Amino acid sequence: MLLRAALTSFRRGETLAAQPVSASVDVSLKHLAAYNSVCGFGLRDALPLTYPHVLGFPLQMKLMSGPGFPFPLPGLVHVANRITQARPLTADEPLEITVSARDLRPHPQGTQVDVVTSISGVWEGVSTYLRRGGGASSTGEQLERPVASAVWRVPADIGRRYGAASGDRNPIHLHPLSAKVFGFKRAIAHGMWTKARCLAALEGRLPEAVTVDVRFKKPLLVPGRVEFSASENGGGWEFAVWGKGPHVLGSTS
């Protein structure tokens, strides 16, 4: 998979022509338990809200490394993720997964596209990816640091542990040396691990039908110490993870 991703480095496409890919998937209880452990979820019949994302990850990679996807995978930045579920999925039901790409559009720092994972008509995840280039650098938002609800210490091996559970073994997450090749001082935590960790902290407090939006901001270098905040707001939740600056900003509705 990593080799296929590397071979996309020569792409210079400007159009989106990737065709949807689909598969039927059964949940492995062993795999689910490993995911729950690394993200902090309890063991329940219902799948954690973020777990279907990792079930669809092989199809996401197949689509993004296949013909018709306009961007090379190296250097692509995951800037946002939105998950909507009509009801919780359960570990004993067969799942039909379809992954597609849509809405190629300009961004102040380049071009972005949505990769959409749909499961059994009741769960949808939209990951927005940015290809930098040709745009002005970001001036940065003026954000107020929220009051911390908890302090988390993120271990140095979280990228390797989450990579084993999710299948996402991007070198920037695995080891300081491989991360430095891509310009990072140390390895960085997966954005989707950070989102999952936030939702694990809110477990039992979200409705069964829910939408969770996050924006990924500054990379979370590991090992690290971060503050998690969460507050109710108009029937939903606002949550965030901060270090020296914001790493994740999220909301539920």
Side-chain angles (χ1 to χ4, degrees), residues 96-175:
E96 300 295 328
I97 304 179
T98 299
V99 175
S100 59
R102 69 189 186 200
D103 200 10
L104 187 68
R105 60 198 185 276
H107 181 277
Q109 293 177 261
T111 309
Q112 59 188 348
V113 67
D114 292 335
V115 175
V116 183
T117 303
S118 301
I119 301 183
S120 300
V122 298
W123 188 99
E124 181 182 81
V126 181
S127 291
T128 301
Y129 291 95
L130 169 66
R131 174 63 176 174
R132 298 185 189 276
S137 61
S138 176
T139 57
E141 299 174 85
Q142 297 300 314
L143 299 170
E144 183 177 349
R145 189 186 193 96
V147 176
S149 306
V151 175
W152 297 340
R153 296 191 179 278
V154 185
D157 66 347
I158 195 63
R160 293 189 292 277
R161 290 169 54 205
Y162 182 80
S166 68
D168 184 353
R169 293 183 172 88
N170 188 322
I172 63 175
H173 303 301
L174 302 182
H175 192 276

Side-chain angles (χ1 to χ4, degrees), residues 50 78-83 126 128 191-192 194-196 198-199 211-217 239-240 247-252:
T50 47
H78 193 183
V79 294
N81 176 268
R82 182 179 72 251
I83 292 173
V126 181
T128 301
M192 288 304 295
T194 314
K195 179 175 183 175
C198 292
L199 295 182
T211 295
V212 182
D213 265 302
V214 301
R215 290 181 293 152
F216 301 118
K217 307 300 286 184
F239 60 90
H247 298 298
V248 170
L249 303 175
S251 64
T252 76

Side-chain angles (χ1 to χ4, degrees), residues 177 208 221 234:
L177 293 179
E208 292 189 344
L221 299 174

